[in-house]
Amino acid sequence: MISVCTPTYNGSLFLKDQLDSILCQLTADDELIISDDSSTDDTTQIIECYNDSRIKLLKDNSFHSPVYNLENALRHSRGDFIFLSDQDDVWLPGKVKIMLEHLQRYDCVVSDAKVVDGECNVIHKSFFELNHSGPGLFRNIVKNGFLGCCMAFNRTILDKVLPFPNPIPMHDTWIGLVAEKYGTTFFLNEPLILYRRHGANASPTAEKSRYSITEKIYHRYLFAKNIIQR
């Protein structure tokens, strides 16, 4: 059984594309856990219109944070393998099958992605190439190479990941570092999603950082401290 965990907030513009691309790859025994952070648009109505028993919608939350909104979805997951998903991307055909094959050998798998605009026109053919992503604990403390929406991992890693430290600025870095410390990671050089960047994303990954040098150093300190303590 797999659990796809998706945090949503005012994601109605692209949400249906994403849900359609996920649900067609799931079996009847899988689940899609969606934690909504009190959206004020019709995000939850779109989800409820699917009337799909595989969808578990957690609504009326007030995290005001995509990081802890995702943590809520993770806490409610029951699958042996956990797939992370954003609300506005598109999964390419075969993503689940390919990732599951590699999850038989590795605890955490990160696929590459095509970076696209709001209309799914390709901006960059490879997120890995753009971000210089790769494995390694120290390497990813210095510069994060993990992309949450491209990650899948087993329940052993999930048990080590939860609860999230407070505060952490990014969930994908935290999950990736835990996987580096306690398991085996694999960066799959095959784009399995269209990673949509449209100017209103909930997270700024792949865009110029909004943090100052001082804030970046502090974030690295937080991750190093918490990974040592965990």
Side-chain angles (χ1 to χ4, degrees):
M1 176 184 181
I2 75 170
S3 298
V4 180
C5 292
T6 306
T8 59
Y9 175 70
N10 289 351
S12 62
L13 185 60
F14 301 113
L15 182 59
K16 189 176 186 303
D17 288 347
Q18 176 67 306
L19 296 182
D20 288 347
S21 73
I22 293 172
L23 290 169
C24 70
Q25 299 191 45
L26 302 186
T27 71
D29 296 324
D30 297 330
E31 63 180 7
L32 171 55
I33 309 295
I34 303 176
S35 180
D36 186 73
D37 203 358
S38 296
S39 291
T40 56
D41 65 0
D42 58 349
T43 291
T44 57
Q45 290 92 327
I46 290 172
I47 298 166
E48 289 169 338
C49 281
Y50 276 80
N51 194 28
D52 190 318
S53 62
R54 296 171 296 178
I55 298 177
K56 309 296 189 297
L57 174 60
L58 313 171
K59 57 183 182 178
D60 300 322
N61 300 297
S62 298
F63 297 107
H64 307 295
S65 163
V67 174
Y68 297 99
N69 193 26
L70 173 67
E71 182 187 29
N72 186 48
L74 291 173
R75 287 181 180 276
H76 286 82
S77 67
R78 299 178 295 114
D80 302 306
F81 300 103
I82 316 299
F83 284 65
L84 303 187
S85 160
D86 286 348
Q87 65 184 0
D88 43 16
D89 301 324
V90 176
W91 284 16
L92 295 175
K95 171 184 165 70
V96 170
K97 180 178 182 294
I98 294 169
M99 296 285 277
L100 283 176
E101 289 173 354
H102 291 285
L103 283 166
Q104 305 308 310
R105 289 173 286 169
Y106 301 96
D107 297 298
C108 178
V109 177
V110 191
S111 80
D112 202 353
K114 294 181 181 179
V115 184
V116 301
D117 64 15
E119 303 302 318
C120 287
N121 299 305
V122 176
I123 300 170
H124 203 288
K125 64 180 182 180
S126 167
F127 174 82
F128 284 179
E129 182 179 294
L130 184 66
N131 194 57
H132 307 292
S133 296
L137 179 61
F138 179 75
R139 170 182 180 162
N140 283 287
I141 290 176
V142 174
K143 184 182 187 304
N144 176 49
F146 290 95
L147 183 59
C149 57
C150 293
M151 296 175 69
F153 45 91
N154 60 33
R155 184 153 289 276
T156 299
I157 296 301
L158 179 63
D159 291 341
K160 295 290 187 182
V161 161
L162 297 176
F164 284 2
N166 190 7
I168 52 169
M170 294 174 287
H171 61 268
D172 44 13
T173 308
W174 171 245
I175 295 170
L177 293 178
V178 170
E180 291 283 2
K181 180 177 180 180
Y182 289 106
T184 54
T185 62
F186 179 67
F187 281 71
L188 174 61
N189 291 313
E190 180 176 353
L192 295 180
I193 76 164
L194 302 181
Y195 178 49
R196 188 158 12 205
R197 311 311 292 168
H198 49 80
N201 301 83
S203 64
T205 309
E207 298 165 2
K208 186 176 180 180
S209 175
R210 65 180 182 271
Y211 298 117
S212 68
I213 293 296
T214 301
E215 288 173 317
K216 290 178 182 178
I217 292 172
Y218 178 62
H219 291 162
R220 284 157 177 76
Y221 162 75
L222 283 178
F223 282 125
K225 174 186 175 184
N226 282 299
I227 199 66
I228 290 171
Q229 293 177 343
R230 185 61 56 96

